[in-house]
Amino acid sequence: MKVLVVEDEPDMAESLRWGLEAEGYVVDVAENGEEGLWKAQETGHDVIILDVMLPGLDGFQVCSRLRAQGLWTPILMLTAMDDDLDLAEGLDVGADDYLPKPFSYTVLLARLRALTRRGLGVRPTVITAAGLTLDPASRRAWRDGVELELSSREMSVLEHLMRRQGRVVSKTELLDHCWDAAYDGGPAVVEVHIHRLRRKIDSPTGSPIIITVRGEGYLIEDDHGG
């Protein structure tokens, strides 16, 4: 799951990055409204955390411009102002949810999970595909009832593939959603993680779940056979 954090307070931005990465999210950070608008437009994210009080373009303006351009990534707005008018303005310009500062980190995570479940496409609380079960909230996965020991990155790759079951997912898409913007390596790292996932998921049954589509990417067939 890839999150864009638009926050100009360095301590808050770093705290959000650290906490979200510890939960298995891939995090991009923008320090002002202009940078946040550009990153939201140019790089695919599953959800945006957008502070209201930003230098340059404020959060209301960023949100309004994204919606005017037809970009409907779920947006959670953060504000130090707990005011009904601010709340109304944020929702009116297209925000999906609103969280006043200071906030509980547990509540923030729950709000993010709720937003991504009702965002673009179907996002159930627990994902199932081809004998696999994945719980994004607890970052745990099972095959046929047996828990899998997966690294944070392996979990992110598997979650992305399972959320798009029945669709071929390219290496580029996996890089975009499961590695942060600071990673400057090539797509070979995706192959390495797919290989590791297969060793953990397919063994001991030997029944393949992640299918390679030559020249295109990887596929997990849906529960109805694709």
Side-chain angles (χ1 to χ4, degrees), residues 52-226:
V52 170
M53 300 299 291
L54 296 168
L57 294 177
D58 65 26
F60 298 136
Q61 292 171 305
V62 172
C63 183
S64 179
R65 293 190 188 190
L66 291 174
R67 296 312 191 223
Q69 294 167 10
L71 198 153
W72 292 99
T73 305
I75 293 176
L76 173 63
M77 298 195 82
L78 302 179
T79 179
M81 302 176 294
D82 188 6
D83 183 276
D84 286 346
L85 291 177
D86 294 316
L87 171 59
E89 183 174 356
L91 297 175
D92 284 345
V93 297
D96 298 274
D97 201 355
Y98 216 97
L99 194 59
K101 297 178 181 178
F103 51 82
S104 159
Y105 197 71
T106 300
V107 172
L108 172 70
L109 292 174
R111 296 281 183 92
L112 289 181
R113 291 193 294 268
L115 282 180
T116 52
R117 283 199 299 271
R118 70 175 186 252
L120 300 178
V122 177
R123 293 183 179 272
T125 305
V126 175
I127 315 165
T128 60
L132 290 172
T133 303
L134 190 147
D135 181 356
S138 65
R139 306 298 292 170
R140 298 171 69 190
W142 300 261
R143 178 167 188 185
D144 299 325
V146 178
E147 187 162 0
L148 303 168
E149 295 295 328
L150 303 180
S151 70
S152 177
R153 190 78 69 193
E154 290 163 355
M155 187 71 71
S156 294
V157 172
L158 181 60
E159 180 182 350
H160 196 77
L161 290 170
M162 289 180 69
R163 287 196 184 279
R164 287 150 181 78
Q165 59 185 284
R167 282 182 42 199
V168 178
V169 180
S170 69
K171 294 176 186 176
T172 299
E173 181 177 338
L174 285 168
L175 275 175
D176 286 344
H177 282 266
C178 302
W179 277 262
D180 61 34
Y183 177 75
D184 60 0
V189 70
V190 176
E191 298 174 15
V192 170
H193 281 77
I194 292 291
H195 176 70
R196 291 175 180 168
L197 273 173
R198 283 174 168 153
R199 283 192 309 176
K200 295 178 179 182
I201 293 171
D202 294 344
S203 180
T205 66
S207 175
I209 289 179
I210 302 174
I211 300 167
T212 299
V213 181
R214 290 192 178 277
E216 296 185 45
Y218 303 100
L219 165 73
I220 291 181
E221 291 186 342
D222 62 33
D223 287 329
H224 302 288

